[in-house]
Amino acid sequence: MKITLEPWTEDLKQDLIHICNTVDRTYLTNRLPDPYTEESADWWLNMVREKDGTEGLFRAIVADGRVVGNITVECFTDVYGQDAEIGYLLTPACESKGIMTEATRQFCELVFDTLNLRRITSKVCVPNIASWRVLEKNGFQQEGLIRQGFVKNGQVYDYKIMGKLKE
Ligand SMILES: CC(C)(COP(=O)(O)OP(=O)(O)OC[C@H]1O[C@@H](n2cnc3c(N)ncnc32)[C@H](O)[C@@H]1OP(=O)(O)O)[C@@H](O)C(=O)NCCC(=O)NCCS
């Protein structure tokens, strides 16, 4: 399967809406609007236009020509400004095919080549095994464990802080 990363454009809006309305939200924060509407997509694509390449990097994941997911980093600010948080999601029909492992490999290279960062950070709920495997296979190490720090729909989860250094 051929995996590539493409900049988000207006043309991909319906793909974005489809992905965000089908993704498994169990371990996602509530920042992702539910339902994900045209307005949600317009707001997000506008934010991407303003910040891409300076305050973050935002890419569509394309598998054999189809847009199947989203992968982003958003830079922290002030003294944390050479660190950024990575996030990703995939439409469920495409899970467990190695897509995010490959997308993350390509994306981390692009991020370190494009932005002035020393590291990339991720927060991953402990039961989200697929996600921390993706990170581990891409050289992220566990740096901390935040106990009971993630509460969603009445469920309480521990989460891992994972980090990858540029060197
Ligand atoms: C988490 C997610 C990004 C993983 O992407 P993916 O393309 O399915 O992952 P990959 O196919 O590259 O597989 C990653 C690893 O997890 C394993 N895995 C996949 N699903 C699993 C599951 N349900 N339970 C345990 N391991 C699983 C795979 O076997 C693989 O590990 P391996 O190489 O040791 O066999 C995707 O499932 C997703 O979008 N989930 C919903 C949104 C989300 O949770 N995002 C992350 C928030 S931190």
Side-chain angles (χ1 to χ4, degrees):
M1 190 182 298
K2 183 162 185 250
I3 313 295
T4 56
L5 303 178
E6 308 291 339
W8 281 104
T9 59
E10 194 70 19
D11 298 353
L12 304 181
K13 183 160 82 173
Q14 294 311 317
D15 295 305
L16 175 66
I17 292 171
H18 174 73
I19 292 162
C20 294
N21 278 324
T22 54
V23 67
D24 177 354
R25 291 167 177 267
T26 311
Y27 305 116
L28 295 181
T29 69
N30 295 323
R31 272 182 77 197
L32 188 71
D34 186 11
Y36 199 87
T37 62
E38 290 269 335
E39 289 85 61
S40 316
D42 288 338
W43 178 88
W44 194 78
L45 289 168
N46 190 47
M47 185 280 293
V48 166
R49 266 192 299 276
E50 281 174 13
K51 295 189 174 174
D52 197 44
T54 52
E55 294 171 55
L57 213 58
F58 308 85
R59 291 292 179 271
I61 301 168
V62 180
D64 288 342
R66 272 185 53 226
V67 180
V68 296
N70 184 22
I71 187 162
T72 66
V73 291
E74 290 179 81
C75 302
F76 297 114
T77 56
D78 199 328
V79 293
Y80 308 108
Q82 288 190 39
D83 187 8
E85 184 167 353
I86 190 169
Y88 40 63
L89 44 88
L90 209 57
T91 197
C94 294
E95 283 180 9
S96 299
K97 299 179 198 296
I99 293 175
M100 200 57 82
T101 300
E102 171 58 15
T104 301
R105 188 191 68 73
Q106 293 180 23
F107 190 63
C108 288
E109 261 186 45
L110 183 67
V111 165
F112 285 130
D113 283 351
T114 310
L115 299 169
N116 179 27
L117 293 177
R118 305 185 72 88
R119 53 170 287 131
I120 302 172
T121 297
S122 175
K123 297 175 181 174
V124 190
C125 286
V126 169
N128 196 356
I129 298 169
S131 185
W132 54 260
R133 283 293 297 145
V134 164
L135 295 167
E136 262 181 355
K137 286 189 287 177
N138 277 290
F140 284 74
Q141 292 180 18
Q142 183 175 334
E143 298 173 336
L145 177 72
I146 310 298
R147 293 172 300 162
Q148 300 189 13
F150 187 109
V151 183
K152 184 165 179 182
N153 298 331
Q155 297 289 315
V156 182
Y157 300 105
D158 297 347
Y159 69 87
K160 300 178 181 205
I161 304 285
M162 307 282 289
K164 179 181 171 77
L165 298 184
K166 183 170 183 177
E167 307 182 359

